[in-house]
Amino acid sequence: MSEFDEKDKEQENDSHEIESRKETGGNEDSKEKAETEKKENVYEDVCFICRRPESKTGKMFKLPNNISVCNDCMHKTMDTVSQFDYQGMLNNPAFMNDLNKTMSDKGYPNIRFVNISDLQGEGGIPNKQKIRKKKKEPGQEPVLDIRNIPPPHRIKAQLDDYVIGQEHAKKVISVAVYNHYKRVATDTMDEIEIEKSNMLMIGPTGCGKTYLVKTLAKLLDVPLAITDATSLTEAGYIGDDIESVVSKLLAAAGNDTEKAERGIIFIDEIDKIAKKKNTTSRDVSGESVQQGMLRLLEGAEVEVPVGANSKNAMVPLATINTRNILFICGGAFPDLEEIIKQRLKKQTSIGFHAELKDKYDKETDLISRVTIEDLKKFGMIPEFLGRLPVVYTLKALDKEMMIKILKEPKNAILKQYQKLLELDEVKLEFDEGALEAIAEKAMKKDIGARALRAIIEEFMLDIMYEIPKDDNIGRVIITREYIEGTGGPVIDIRSASAANPDGLKLIEG
């Protein structure tokens, strides 16, 4: 009897385990379903035919394979279908005989039925072309809170950790950004509407314009879109439309329109859309682009394509208000110094106290004397400049700034290589003479801080190649002679000698 009792108990335990597995399996399935529903609820439904989102079309019809069709497209489809004479086609005996013969013999020739949803994603539309739903939860925290906006001195202090020099530019951009986001967070102050502080930064290539904006967006934790003005053309021509600038910001914000409307757009190479001089052809990438950007800079509601650069019938459109988007334009403006020289030379007089004509030829920071009249003469239209009230310049890098850029920022180039060699348990050091030699070579190339990386990559190639070969190498010191090609680096070999406290033995390379 005891054996039978034990078998009964085992059977009962097995049945309990099976039931518990079913319950847990059911719970897991329900959790997965809940998660998928949550993911689907984040995005708006998009009509499979006209590609308009749910916020514009209203409630949609749900079809198999997660396909949604709006009310207008469904009615048009039904009207089209009702006009076709299906009854007359079925009453045609010749057609029915051919159809039955084909189906019974071989089936449809060269035809395969494809699930459309497998081609493009969920419901035939990828998520990158869907718009996120606006959250309307009670008690939700605002996107920007005036109490959490860092003051200008704190913004500048954080920029100092990453950007060397450019004190005036960092001060201007800190104040402008602080005032802009105060305006966005409060919306109005005592019924006085505050205008937007769009910026125009002017500086030679490699002085840190783009890097300054990237660092600023990282510190503020706001969506940032960096675009190039060289690809922009007038609507209807080959190239990117002007609205594609805002479309990139929407993509950076994860297709969240509310978040995108509080972001930053940096348009680089803005000097490339200046008016073309002495041309009879249509200026589709110059003055017309400036005219088209006026309403974006001022603040207007624009329809932008979601997940694409240009508008077409297969891409959904989202409406974005650019009133609270901060626009920062930057450019090198070559030949602007010549325009400034011409203006300053006109002011010279005749006599003993007259200024010499070549007085400004050797001035290094001539770009800081720029005025709105100089920019107009360069080719920027007055209406465009009027919407960029904050204009400031960045200085060209000198030798001392180059040396500081090499070693002082948090992510300095030398620190990056030191970190790479630390992974191989090797110390990398640079003496002051080596840093000066690198800076001198970079100044000759005249392309700003970008030259530093190119020079270091050149002489670090052999070191990065040779060090993994020998596990005894403990430290490498880069000297001026190695940079100039007259000598080699100083290499320390690991040693267990008690006389050397660092455990390193010095050997001249």
Side-chain angles (χ1 to χ4, degrees), residues 400-415:
E400 291 180 3
M401 289 174 72
M402 290 276 195
I403 294 172
K404 288 181 179 179
I405 288 169
L406 281 171
K407 59 181 182 178
E408 288 187 8
K410 279 190 175 180
N411 56 345
I413 306 170
L414 301 188
K415 290 179 182 177

Side-chain angles (χ1 to χ4, degrees), residues 88 148 311 449 475:
N148 297 330
K311 298 177 184 177
R475 181 164 57 191

Side-chain angles (χ1 to χ4, degrees), residues 132-152:
R132 286 184 180 270
K133 289 182 179 178
K134 290 186 178 179
K135 297 177 182 178
K136 296 181 179 178
E137 299 176 3
Q140 185 186 3
E141 293 183 1
V143 178
L144 277 172
D145 187 3
I146 189 157
R147 291 169 295 182
N148 297 330
I149 302 171

